[in-house]
Amino acid sequence: MTSPLTRNEQNSKSRAQTFGIRPDLFQAAQDHMVKKSDLDELSENLANAGVRGFTAATLPQNIHLGSPDSGTADYAILPFTDRYGPAVAAHPEPPSLQIEESGLWTVTLNLGTAGHGLAPAGSGFFEVSIYVGPEQPAGGPVRQYDFFNWRVELDHQQSFATTFTVDFVVESPGDFIYVQVSGMRGRAIEGDYTRTRLSVRKTDNRTR
């Protein structure tokens, strides 16, 4: 009759499979060890944790507000027609940008303006509105989920350049982003990608 193995003999016999580590300690380490599958999943999550969508467009030319024979305020929907950079989960749909996926998005408007020869002496208002809505603009603002508005007073020849940034949630893919500017005659929106550009960036898939 064969005698059962002693505790030391069991450990000795098993250590050939546990790289010389005591079997009970090796098993405890195994239970708490990070597995390759865990690292692969973490790596994928980190890769997706940054920008999830992006698109941008610029103006093809300068946009002038007003006309020489009118002193009243004028407005324009800025025609962002020239794609700038990659398009992921959104794309230019002139004069707008169109969102293809739901989630949290950030709109950034880089805007450059300058007074020109038609500007009357004195100062006047200049207004910027960013619209988010399910329809394309057709000659003016249309039904929208929300809009964001800024108004400043500018001297007739004063240049003005700034960046507007807004976060919003898209629950239904297909929304359009567009920009309306309004003000007194004599103000030009500079059609240069270094001065005027509209972009969107997706940062999260969650909508609630």
Side-chain angles (χ1 to χ4, degrees):
M1 179 175 172
T2 304
S3 300
L5 294 175
T6 66
R7 181 177 178 184
N8 286 339
E9 288 173 328
Q10 288 175 334
N11 284 343
S12 176
K13 184 178 180 67
S14 303
R15 288 188 187 204
Q17 300 171 328
T18 60
F19 307 99
I21 302 172
R22 206 174 78 192
D24 58 329
L25 296 179
F26 182 83
Q27 185 60 48
Q30 280 285 90
D31 293 341
H32 294 87
M33 189 177 296
V34 177
K35 299 178 178 59
K36 182 179 183 300
S37 59
D38 296 330
L39 291 175
D40 289 343
E41 182 180 356
L42 177 62
S43 177
E44 182 179 353
N45 289 340
L46 288 174
N48 293 331
V51 175
R52 298 172 180 266
F54 176 83
T55 197
T58 63
L59 300 177
Q61 60 193 22
N62 291 353
I63 305 297
H64 293 266
L65 294 178
S67 60
D69 58 354
S70 174
T72 60
D74 192 18
Y75 76 89
I77 302 294
L78 296 186
F80 289 98
T81 59
D82 295 353
R83 175 175 153 179
Y84 182 83
V88 179
H91 63 276
E93 191 69 35
S96 315
L97 302 180
Q98 188 172 25
I99 306 299
E100 299 171 7
E101 294 182 356
S102 61
L104 177 65
W105 290 79
T106 298
V107 179
T108 300
L109 171 65
N110 302 97
L111 184 69
T113 82
H116 59 78
L118 296 179
S123 62
F125 78 92
F126 179 72
E127 197 166 61
V128 180
S129 299
I130 297 177
Y131 287 86
V132 180
E135 300 172 3
Q136 280 274 45
V142 297
R143 181 170 61 91
Q144 73 276 341
Y145 294 135
D146 208 347
F147 74 96
F148 309 90
N149 179 269
W150 298 267
R151 183 182 174 108
V152 295
E153 291 288 329
L154 295 174
D155 182 79
H156 67 295
Q157 291 296 333
Q158 182 180 351
S159 295
F160 174 72
T162 193
T163 298
F164 303 97
T165 301
V166 172
D167 294 320
F168 67 98
V169 172
V170 172
E171 296 191 1
S172 301
D175 279 358
F176 296 96
I177 312 297
Y178 63 98
V179 176
Q180 176 184 288
V181 295
S182 57
M184 305 303 290
R185 66 182 172 93
R187 177 112 336 235
I189 313 301
E190 297 175 310
D192 178 341
Y193 75 93
T194 65
R195 303 282 285 171
T196 301
R197 180 170 67 246
L198 180 65
S199 62
V200 290
R201 184 181 74 254
K202 184 181 183 184
T203 55
D204 200 313
N205 283 333
R206 291 169 293 183
T207 58
R208 299 189 186 279

